Amino acid sequence: MLHDVGKVEFAFLTGNHSRGSGGAIVIQGECTFNMYGGKIYGGTAASNGGNIYLAGTLTVSGGEIYNGTAEIVKTSAKYKETGLGGNIYAAGAVIIEGGAIYNGTAQGAHGGNLYINNGTCNIEGGEISNGTADMGG
């Protein structure tokens, strides 16, 4: 978990798995995460946000976020609230200025690539494509 400001320029985060939310990265509180390049891919979460779970601020200016999977947890009492946001689950602020977000899968509900829950999203550039969700988005 990042506590202040995180930054990715040339890193590769791949194949991460979480038994909760945020397969590769969890951003909470008043934290800010800036992505200028690199790749975050292949993350799975047994809840929400296959690659990234966000409750802070995420700015994507470059790089790629792809092939994330948010799985549905049918044994959970809240199973209807899981499997959201294949690549990114956001309850904070998302700013997309560039880069690419693609091939995300939300197995339980909505938001193949991106699911916004009581947050904000400002898309100024970049590409979002090829998301798959069981219920839409």
Side-chain angles (χ1 to χ4, degrees):
M1 179 180 357
L2 303 173
H3 293 285
D4 290 316
V5 175
K7 179 171 79 171
V8 172
E9 291 188 61
F10 304 108
F12 294 89
L13 301 173
T14 182
N16 296 287
H17 178 75
S18 170
R19 288 189 229 167
S21 295
I25 298 173
V26 173
I27 305 160
Q28 292 185 328
E30 296 181 18
C31 297
T32 299
F33 185 81
N34 301 304
M35 185 166 177
Y36 300 103
K39 297 180 180 185
I40 301 170
Y41 62 98
T44 59
S47 186
N48 300 319
N51 279 317
I52 299 172
Y53 178 89
L54 167 70
T57 301
L58 169 67
T59 301
V60 179
S61 299
E64 299 174 65
I65 302 170
Y66 62 98
N67 291 351
T69 302
E71 301 169 339
I72 188 167
V73 182
K74 293 183 180 180
T75 59
S76 168
K78 293 184 173 186
Y79 78 91
K80 292 182 180 179
E81 299 174 17
T82 64
L84 300 166
N87 277 315
I88 302 169
Y89 175 94
V94 178
I95 302 161
I96 301 171
E97 300 172 337
I101 301 168
Y102 58 95
N103 293 347
T105 303
Q107 291 182 346
H110 305 284
N113 280 313
L114 177 62
Y115 182 83
I116 308 293
N117 181 15
N118 294 320
T120 61
C121 183
N122 186 12
I123 301 173
E124 300 171 5
E127 173 187 342
I128 300 174
S129 62
N130 299 325
T132 303
D134 285 352
M135 298 178 81

